[in-house]
Amino acid sequence: MATAPVADQRRLLDVQDADLRAQQLRHKRDTLPQLAQLEELAARLADLHEERIARTAEVGDLKRAVTKAEDDVQSVRAREERDQQRLNSGAGSAKDLQALQGELEVLAKRRSDLEDVELEAMERLEAAEATLASATEQTEALETQVAEVTADRDAAVREIDEQLVAIHDERGTAARDLDAALLALYDKLREQHGGVGAASLVGGACQGCHMTLNAGDLAAILNAPADQIVRCEECGRILVRGA
């Protein structure tokens, strides 16, 4: 049967305690609430980015539409001014002047229709610009929030890493000169059992799996030589007696 000094077996619990605390801290670091916040903020920023691209393109199209509508209105107005000047001059036959009057009426209707188109385009442009401005404002606010949450996350990570360094030192001290075979078995079992490779025996129960040993197994463990490495019959972890 494998053996290890009693002091080493008991000191193994200090190693286990350090390893468990380090494992818990690493889990805490990997599941910081800021990480979920940043993931959510990144998704919202991505949506806003798409929105801004779409609205920017829409604003560009509407600006061109407004410019065209303004040019069309201006072209008709220029034609009206020329015809009105000719009509006011009285030059030409009565038939020509009557035709000019008819054309002015047509141009007035055409200009009115074009001004309606221009107004509609301007209203749509105003709405699109407002939507773009809102998306930009939301983006800036979210980017500020991202910076704040990132700073909080970094501070939390630094604090955890500092604690991990201290625990690493504790573990090194506890494991120094520990029986090599005992430590190797512990590391193997710890990997197999969710980070817990050794546990104390308290009141006939393994503190690793929290199962109460049957009377026969318990008697065999308690009667085994003090330096014998014993293991829980339920979970297989190293059991440390008298800890």
Side-chain angles (χ1 to χ4, degrees):
M1 299 294 290
T3 62
V6 173
D8 282 11
Q9 293 188 43
R10 291 177 179 174
R11 190 146 49 94
L12 186 62
L13 291 179
D14 294 333
V15 175
Q16 174 66 84
D17 177 66
D19 284 338
L20 191 56
R21 283 185 289 133
Q23 179 178 310
Q24 291 168 342
L25 281 173
R26 284 191 292 269
H27 176 73
K28 180 180 179 180
R29 184 180 59 190
D30 292 340
T31 57
L32 286 170
Q34 292 90 339
L35 297 175
Q37 285 181 271
L38 288 172
E39 186 175 342
E40 179 186 352
L41 290 171
R44 290 166 61 186
L45 279 172
D47 290 341
L48 282 171
H49 178 66
E50 294 298 325
E51 175 73 6
R52 290 176 69 190
I53 289 175
R55 296 291 77 78
T56 298
E58 183 182 14
V59 166
D61 291 342
L62 288 172
K63 282 183 176 179
R64 286 187 289 273
V66 168
T67 298
K68 183 180 183 302
E70 290 173 341
D71 291 343
D72 290 345
V73 169
Q74 186 57 39
S75 177
V76 172
R77 282 177 179 163
R79 181 69 179 274
E80 280 184 299
E81 290 176 2
R82 290 195 301 270
D83 285 357
Q84 189 64 53
Q85 288 173 359
R86 289 175 60 193
L87 184 63
N88 291 342
S89 71
S93 65
K95 183 177 180 181
D96 290 339
L97 294 176
Q98 186 177 4
L100 278 173
Q101 183 63 50
E103 184 174 343
L104 281 169
E105 292 173 0
V106 171
L107 288 172
K109 177 64 169 64
R110 175 62 176 161
R111 174 173 48 79
S112 177
D113 291 343
L114 289 173
E115 286 174 342
D116 288 343
V117 171
E118 178 186 12
L119 179 60
E120 180 184 356
M122 292 176 68
E123 289 174 345
R124 290 174 60 197
L125 174 59
E126 183 179 356
E129 287 178 331
T131 302
L132 176 58
S134 175
T136 300
E137 183 179 347
Q138 291 179 63
T139 296
E140 292 172 350
L142 283 177
E143 287 174 343
T144 297
Q145 191 174 354
V146 166
E148 293 172 349
V149 175
T150 298
D152 289 343
R153 179 206 62 190
D154 292 346
V157 168
R158 282 195 300 271
E159 181 179 352
I160 290 173
D161 285 346
E162 289 172 359
Q163 294 178 50
L164 283 171
V165 168
I167 291 174
H168 180 269
D169 291 342
E170 288 181 34
R171 206 256 192 203
T173 299
R176 187 177 298 124
D177 299 326
L178 209 59
D179 183 87
L182 176 65
L183 189 58
L185 176 61
Y186 161 74
D187 285 334
K188 177 182 178 181
L189 292 173
R190 184 165 66 91
E191 185 176 347
Q192 294 175 352
H193 296 288
V196 179
S200 57
L201 178 65
V202 178
C206 168
Q207 298 306 296
C209 63
H210 302 288
M211 296 289 291
T212 299
L213 304 182
N214 65 55
D217 291 336
L218 180 60
I221 288 172
L222 293 177
N223 292 326
D227 64 349
Q228 181 177 320
I229 298 173
V230 296
R231 294 169 62 179
C232 174
E233 292 296 332
E234 298 294 337
C235 66
R237 295 179 174 92
I238 297 170
L239 276 179
V240 179
R241 297 160 288 173

